[in-house]
Amino acid sequence: MWQIEDIIRAYGCSLTRIRREYIDKFDYTDEQKEEETDWFGDLVRMINSEGVREKGHLQINKILVQSLQELHMAILSSPKFPFYNAEYYRVLPYIVELRNKGANKEESEIETCLNALYGTMMLRLQHKEITQDTQHAINEITTLIGMLSDYYLKDKAGELKLED
């Protein structure tokens, strides 16, 4: 969703431009294009009403990141997830390093990980070099976020049991 926020900003938060210069480029049916236009329109309205035209994230995205952080903490405090705990402790040094380099030292661990993944994606899109050390860190972060994502889906389906 952060990429979608940036796409909307790149088109000046103009639904007309998004439709003409972005959505119309895809091989969608007319009905799919209308659905996409409606979806982007809702997001443009939200961006404008929430005052994040230049930077920042939509409230719905902030809430999702907070939910992921809360689940992350619950999983870490449960003895039932040793593989997740082990992966977390492999990733923790990278989180600490990223936080020390970042502007917002108050962001959650999960937001730090998501920012690292998004930043790496942006570097790839710009064809910039990614060092071997950075790639290793991103691989570990990807594994942790992937595990968390799986647990999140199980939790939403009522299938995740944090306690006995």
Side-chain angles (χ1 to χ4, degrees):
M1 277 299 292
W2 292 351
Q3 183 179 16
I4 297 298
E5 291 171 337
D6 284 345
I7 287 169
I8 291 169
R9 291 182 188 115
Y11 290 104
C13 296
S14 166
L15 186 56
T16 303
R17 284 190 61 206
I18 293 168
R19 171 67 190 248
R20 185 180 63 242
E21 299 172 32
Y22 184 75
I23 296 171
D24 284 348
K25 302 291 183 199
F26 293 96
D27 186 24
Y28 290 154
T29 65
D30 288 342
E31 182 180 335
Q32 289 171 320
K33 287 180 182 182
E34 287 305 316
E35 288 174 6
E36 282 289 300
T37 300
D38 289 345
W39 183 69
F40 270 99
D42 289 341
L43 293 173
V44 167
R45 282 186 285 284
M46 291 165 65
I47 282 175
N48 287 325
S49 69
E50 294 180 22
V52 291
R53 283 181 65 98
E54 301 297 321
K55 65 179 183 171
H57 299 295
L58 290 169
Q59 197 61 33
I60 58 171
N61 294 330
K62 290 178 183 178
I63 291 168
L64 177 58
V65 171
Q66 179 62 35
S67 295
L68 288 169
Q69 178 66 29
E70 290 169 4
L71 179 60
H72 166 71
M73 297 306 293
I75 292 169
L76 288 178
S77 66
S78 172
K80 294 177 67 175
F81 304 93
F83 294 111
Y84 186 86
N85 272 276
E87 186 60 31
Y88 169 70
Y89 284 106
R90 274 193 288 279
V91 171
L92 186 57
Y94 304 122
I95 293 171
V96 171
E97 184 178 346
L98 288 164
R99 281 179 147 173
N100 286 337
K101 290 180 181 179
N104 185 358
K105 296 183 184 349
E106 300 300 314
E107 71 187 13
S108 70
E109 292 176 331
I110 296 306
E111 188 168 358
T112 299
C113 290
L114 293 172
N115 280 330
L117 294 174
Y118 185 65
T120 302
M121 181 190 76
M122 295 305 294
L123 289 173
R124 286 189 180 119
L125 288 172
Q126 297 167 16
H127 304 289
K128 293 189 177 173
E129 181 182 353
I130 298 168
T131 67
Q132 191 172 13
D133 288 344
T134 298
Q135 187 57 56
H136 177 73
I138 291 303
N139 290 346
E140 292 294 341
I141 290 170
T142 299
T143 299
L144 179 73
I145 294 299
M147 293 172 79
L148 182 59
S149 175
D150 289 344
Y151 289 135
Y152 180 81
L153 294 174
K154 285 181 182 176
D155 189 45
K156 289 296 168 200
E159 301 169 359
L160 186 68
K161 305 291 182 229
L162 293 168
E163 299 173 14
D164 289 327

